[in-house]
Amino acid sequence: MRRSTAVVPVLVTALVLAVTPVQATASADPFSRYAEQELTWGSCAFTPQPDALPAECALMKVPRDWAAPDAGRDLVVSISRVAASGEHLGSLLLNPGGPGGQGTSLPGALAALQPQLHERYALIGMDPRGTGQEGGTAPEQLPETCEVPVGRPSQRTDLDARDRSVGSIAEHLKLPRAIAEACQSEAIAPYLTTWQTAHDMELVRILLGESALNYLGYSYGTWLGAKYATLFPSSAGKVVLDSSTDFQGRLQASFEAWPQINQRMFEGSFVPWMTRQFPEEVGTTTEEATANWERARRFYASAGTSPDQFDAIFTGMGSPLRWVLGALVFVLGVRGANGETTAPSALAPQLDATARAVFGTPLESLTPAAAARALADDPADYRRYPATRYAVACGDQQTRSADWHKRLSDRQGPQHPLFGWQYGLGEPCAFWSDAPRQTLPQLPAEVTGRVLVVQGELDPQTGFEQARSAVRAAPGVSMVAVADSPFHGQYGFEGNPCVDGAVNVFLLHNSRPGNLTCPGLPLPNESEVHPVAGPVKASPLTAATVAAPPLPALRDSVRAMISDVNAPPAGAPRITR
């Protein structure tokens, strides 16, 4: 196996309900061999973001397989800590999602942005097994990756999932099949699962000397946190699940909903926002803007950017920075279709920052043709893929076949064309053959009273309906809904006083809210909320005037990171900065 830091974002993976477990014989106490190790805290491999508080890191030894801890080589997991600034109330483990997101830099950012929380909690980060050490460059610090030979994926640069010909579908299936075969062949793959990582989390609790481990997880991190509380109910403290999967059902259902939730966000929130921000470029009505988006799509296709690649830009836009990227690509495409080369004037500072971060050039120098060249498919990029993402996604639960996913694409495409045609043709787990080794049960009643779910109404990465389904299937869990919010990750970094207040009261004062609907915040460059018809039926609390939250650059960076690590469509470039 070869390793590389050049891991490209790839199409969303899926999970399904686990089947009969295949477990090795374990010792009476699998933690006995590892509980006596001492954590040596020191410097971290990553460079803290500006304005984040400093953290200290340690390496933790874990068995390759918690089901047979005496067999196989040990693994090393990196954890971080920002100690409480005041009287220690407990430890709060953070996870940004993924699967496979590195989280050791997260405590320093959250500590800076939530000083009340930092005062009472030791904030703990973790780079889950298989993800290496965040910021590390030495071979032993790099993420586990699976290598796909360059010739295996389609060599075409004009792929368009709307093309339902036999040849087009066959070309689309080449990449997910190659990823599945490459990742499944890795010897470590069977041991990169939620079940294994949850055991690593329990060892963290033991080594920290805590009677209970509190938890805050985003996106896939909600699945991980719920399964930790399921497997170790007596060890789980307060659990906050932000932007939630259906942790009581099939995680794959959360990914299968991407076409629906992205279409809803795109049509109901993003396109109307574009008409308000860029009326001269895209039009003043949603009908005009949609027609111009199609024109932009054709322009990029004519300039060498595949339609699939273009569509992916507008899928999983779970952060303001990703909205700005979508706006930049959209407006440049319309200008290119019109034969224009000048840069837009609205949102110029934000667009300029994104142009520099993504395309490496200032906005004034970024022409439509240059953007198209930068976004064009490059077969050389399709070489190494994150092993943890696919091992977790495909190893947690039984998968469904490629034929099933093709039929899903046929059904979703006409209804949700932005991503419905593409999703079902790009699922690597459709080609995964190994059965899950362990069962992941549902959240028990003894834990539900300690769980709080937070969910944005128009979240394009974990749908509101999935979070609601989990809450309904787990009586006792309460939920904070955020009306009209199209973003991924609500607590801590969004700057929503209603959400932050509800979560902080729960964590700091042990007073968990009942089901609550918070008002969303205005979209980028706007001062009022424009309501969107969606699944939230209850009226939110009266929107209050919200002062600009402190440390905006740090907030934007972390929000983009959480969105990026949970936004796997190929072609949507990472913009975390």
Side-chain angles (χ1 to χ4, degrees):
M1 180 192 72
R2 286 184 247 174
R3 298 182 177 189
S4 171
T5 55
V7 177
V8 297
V10 286
L11 189 62
V12 69
T13 55
L15 309 172
V16 239
L17 188 62
V19 293
T20 305
V22 180
Q23 299 188 17
T25 301
S27 60
D29 180 10
F31 298 98
S32 58
R33 279 187 54 200
Y34 299 89
E36 298 303 319
Q37 63 181 299
E38 293 187 8
L39 296 176
T40 301
W41 298 98
S43 60
C44 299
F46 63 87
T47 299
Q49 298 182 68
D51 297 320
L53 297 185
E56 51 185 353
C57 289
L59 298 179
M60 179 180 71
K61 183 173 66 174
V62 301
R64 181 189 65 174
D65 183 5
W66 281 105
D70 296 329
R73 63 181 176 89
D74 288 335
L75 306 179
V76 173
V77 170
S78 177
I79 59 176
S80 64
R81 177 178 67 180
V82 176
S85 62
E87 184 180 356
H88 179 86
L89 180 64
S91 291
L92 181 70
L93 179 64
L94 314 177
N95 183 277
Q102 297 173 319
T104 47
S105 67
L106 203 54
L110 186 63
L113 293 168
Q114 296 294 324
Q116 287 181 306
L117 191 71
H118 168 43
E119 182 180 1
R120 300 302 308 278
Y121 278 95
L123 303 181
I124 308 299
M126 181 178 179
D127 296 332
R129 57 171 55 209
T131 67
Q133 297 178 42
E134 186 173 4
T137 57
E140 67 275 9
Q141 296 175 317
L142 299 179
E144 299 283 347
T145 61
C146 27
E147 184 172 295
V148 174
V150 174
R152 287 293 308 278
S154 175
Q155 302 301 296
R156 289 175 51 179
T157 59
D158 62 346
L159 287 180
D160 186 348
R162 296 182 188 178
D163 178 359
R164 308 307 286 178
S165 67
V166 173
S168 172
I169 291 172
E171 289 294 307
H172 276 87
L173 295 179
K174 286 182 178 181
L175 179 59
R177 185 192 301 272
I179 292 173
E181 292 175 358
C183 291
Q184 193 168 348
S185 68
E186 294 294 331
I188 193 63
Y191 311 106
L192 303 179
T193 65
T194 295
W195 188 89
Q196 299 284 357
T197 300
H199 283 70
D200 295 344
M201 292 166 57
E202 176 65 356
L203 181 59
V204 170
R205 181 196 67 80
I206 293 170
L207 296 181
L208 292 177
E210 299 282 13
S211 59
L213 184 64
N214 303 289
Y215 182 82
L216 166 63
Y218 298 90
S219 198
Y220 160 77
T222 64
W223 178 263
L224 175 61
K227 297 312 176 185
Y228 170 76
T230 297
L231 294 168
F232 301 98
S234 63
S235 298
K238 300 167 189 173
V239 178
V240 179
L241 306 178
D242 191 320
S243 305
S244 188
T245 60
D246 184 359
F247 53 81
Q248 291 291 80
R250 296 171 49 248
L251 184 53
Q252 173 145 13
S254 295
F255 298 133
E256 291 162 7
W258 267 53
Q260 174 193 353
I261 63 180
N262 276 274
Q263 196 74 39
R264 178 169 64 199
M265 186 279 295
F266 181 76
E267 293 180 348
S269 192
F270 179 74
V271 171
W273 175 78
M274 288 292 299
T275 66
R276 297 191 296 269
Q277 296 297 316
F278 303 94
E280 293 184 2
E281 288 86 355
V282 306
T284 59
T285 68
T286 56
E287 292 78 12
E288 288 179 295
T290 300
N292 274 316
W293 186 84
E294 291 287 347
R295 293 179 64 231
R297 190 177 190 265
R298 292 192 293 272
F299 165 77
Y300 281 108
S302 69
T305 299
S306 76
D308 284 354
Q309 194 92 337
F310 178 79
D311 293 348
I313 297 289
F314 302 90
T315 305
M317 294 193 299
S319 73
L321 288 182
R322 193 159 288 283
W323 272 49
V324 173
L325 172 61
L328 178 60
V329 172
F330 188 171
V331 170
L332 287 174
V334 174
R335 287 178 175 270
N338 293 339
E340 302 172 7
T341 59
T342 57
S345 57
L347 279 169
Q350 297 94 322
L351 294 178
D352 181 69
T354 298
R356 294 173 187 270
V358 175
F359 300 104
T361 186
L363 178 63
E364 62 184 13
S365 302
L366 183 61
T367 65
R373 287 194 299 271
L375 294 174
D377 288 338
D378 179 6
D381 287 341
Y382 296 115
R383 289 183 176 176
R384 295 180 179 89
Y385 296 84
T388 304
R389 173 179 288 280
Y390 296 105
V392 171
C394 307
D396 262 15
Q397 302 175 305
Q398 187 64 48
T399 59
R400 289 178 170 175
S401 70
D403 287 342
W404 185 91
H405 283 91
K406 163 61 169 57
R407 293 193 297 272
L408 179 66
S409 172
D410 291 338
R411 294 195 305 272
Q412 290 186 325
Q415 296 176 320
H416 316 297
L418 175 66
F419 198 55
W421 296 114
Q422 192 175 157
Y423 170 74
L425 299 184
E427 182 47 74
C429 291
F431 298 96
W432 202 272
S433 58
D434 286 352
R437 295 191 171 209
Q438 285 87 25
T439 297
L440 294 171
Q442 293 188 345
L443 196 70
E446 65 185 282
V447 180
T448 57
R450 305 196 297 271
V451 178
L452 176 64
V453 169
V454 183
Q455 183 65 41
E457 181 178 17
L458 305 176
D459 189 327
Q461 295 178 256
T462 49
F464 187 89
E465 290 85 352
Q466 299 304 312
R468 183 174 60 190
S469 177
V471 170
R472 289 176 174 175
V477 172
S478 62
M479 178 172 169
V480 175
V482 187
D484 302 307
S485 175
F487 296 129
H488 192 58
Q490 297 293 326
Y491 168 71
F493 309 106
E494 180 84 358
N496 188 317
C498 177
V499 173
D500 290 354
V503 174
N504 283 337
V505 166
F506 172 50
L507 292 175
L508 294 169
H509 304 292
N510 203 31
S511 178
R512 192 187 62 163
N515 291 333
L516 170 70
T517 300
C518 286
L521 300 180
L523 297 175
N525 208 40
E526 295 190 332
S527 58
E528 62 179 310
V529 174
H530 296 265
V532 177
V536 172
K537 304 305 179 185
S539 298
L541 300 174
T542 302
T545 301
V546 180
L551 306 179
L554 178 60
R555 289 179 184 274
D556 282 347
S557 179
V558 177
R559 293 168 76 187
M561 181 272 288
I562 290 174
S563 179
D564 281 351
V565 80
N566 294 289
R574 295 184 182 272
I575 54 176
T576 305
R577 59 177 190 267

